[in-house]
Amino acid sequence: MAVPPNTSDAFQREVDEELRRDELASAWKRYGLALVGVLVLGLAAYGGWLYWQHRQFLSAGEQGERYGQVYDDLEAKRLSDTEKPLADLTTSKIGGYRALARFTQADLLLQKSDLKGAAAKFGEIAADPSVGQPFRDLALIRQTSAEFDTLKPQVVINRLRSLAVQGNPWFGSAGELVAAAYLRNNRRDLAGTLFGQIARDENVPATIRQRAVQMAGVLGVDAVVQGFAGSNPLKFMKQYRDTFKALAK
């Protein structure tokens, strides 16, 4: 008699396992080397990324030390020793150091009374999309300040109008320049209003607010606020008489 086929559950599982082993063996023959290659490439890429991160960290530390040395040389008046390090740092792949180095170069030009050169350097920073917007805004203000005497008042107003608003981090600095441009345009009303806003804004640095209080007073705007009420206007105006004469023309 013929033996009937074994249809028990144990036999069925054995058959299924054998089929899976055959499928896995076939798949390994077809794709095994490719999978190993992908795994090796992935590990190599991850190792390369870790090495790049490590090099970036070391580079940032080295550049930080170089920038610290630049400041030491500046404090010691060794200006010639800062030229090459600053030039190298302006090409840094780290945006913060690159921007700081360019700001420092521009400030050194200001110290040499090279207003044109400083304005050009600040202008480069302001136009560089790789620099953070707050630093670009500051560079635009510094550029405008350096070339203020050579610009038409309306150019100053148009350039800084969007920054000379309360809530902007550079409101005080930009507002002073815009208010001064209003004076040169014979718009004492607009200048007085803007100086008054600056004087009352507690987020504006105290030195700028104090100047704004006095200028607003000169223009007939009552902007005396707590903290400045005890200041001596006559003494202050004598200290800044040249500024007042220039702005009040």
Side-chain angles (χ1 to χ4, degrees), residues 15-218:
V15 171
D16 290 342
E17 290 175 359
E18 188 65 29
L19 286 173
R20 283 195 293 270
R21 281 194 293 269
D22 288 344
E23 290 173 353
L24 287 173
S26 177
W28 175 254
K29 289 179 181 178
R30 294 178 62 185
Y31 305 113
L33 291 178
L35 290 173
V36 170
V38 170
L39 180 61
V40 170
L41 288 174
L43 290 173
Y46 181 66
W49 180 79
L50 289 177
Y51 178 74
W52 178 81
Q53 288 282 86
H54 177 65
R55 290 301 306 167
Q56 287 290 99
F57 178 78
L58 292 179
S59 177
E62 292 170 358
Q63 292 181 42
E65 291 179 0
R66 294 185 69 185
Y67 203 78
Q69 183 60 51
V70 166
Y71 270 106
D72 289 341
D73 290 335
L74 289 175
E75 290 182 357
K77 306 300 182 182
R78 295 188 295 266
L79 301 185
S80 59
D81 292 343
T82 68
E83 294 180 1
K84 187 179 186 308
L86 283 175
D88 292 340
L89 286 168
T90 58
T91 62
S92 170
K93 294 182 180 180
I94 302 174
Y97 288 130
R98 188 169 63 248
L100 285 173
R102 294 161 75 183
F103 266 106
T104 303
Q105 286 181 326
D107 286 335
L108 288 174
L109 290 172
L110 285 179
Q111 291 183 23
K112 297 176 182 179
S113 298
D114 184 357
L115 299 180
K116 185 176 180 179
K121 184 67 67 176
F122 284 129
E124 292 174 4
I125 302 171
D128 188 347
S130 70
V131 177
Q133 191 61 51
F135 292 104
R136 294 176 64 188
D137 291 342
L138 176 60
L140 183 63
I141 293 170
R142 299 293 300 278
Q143 174 192 0
T144 305
S145 178
E147 57 188 7
F148 184 85
D149 290 337
T150 64
L151 297 176
K152 293 182 178 180
Q154 195 58 46
V155 172
V156 176
I157 295 168
N158 293 341
R159 182 184 290 183
L160 300 181
R161 192 196 307 272
S162 63
L163 303 180
V165 293
Q166 288 181 291
N168 187 282
W170 305 118
F171 171 51
S173 301
E176 272 196 315
L177 291 170
V178 171
Y182 280 143
L183 281 177
R184 291 175 60 188
N185 257 355
N186 295 318
R187 293 304 308 269
R188 297 171 65 90
D189 55 335
L190 295 178
T193 298
L194 186 50
F195 277 126
Q197 291 174 351
I198 296 170
R200 298 186 185 94
D201 193 328
E202 295 183 355
N203 294 317
V204 172
T207 53
I208 297 179
R209 290 179 66 199
Q210 188 172 16
R211 291 197 297 269
V213 168
Q214 303 301 334
M215 287 301 298
V218 169

Side-chain angles (χ1 to χ4, degrees), residues 224-242:
V224 176
V225 292
Q226 187 176 1
F228 301 124
S231 60
N232 187 331
L234 293 178
K235 180 179 179 181
F236 185 90
M237 291 182 68
K238 182 178 180 181
Q239 181 181 357
Y240 290 94
R241 63 183 181 277
D242 293 335

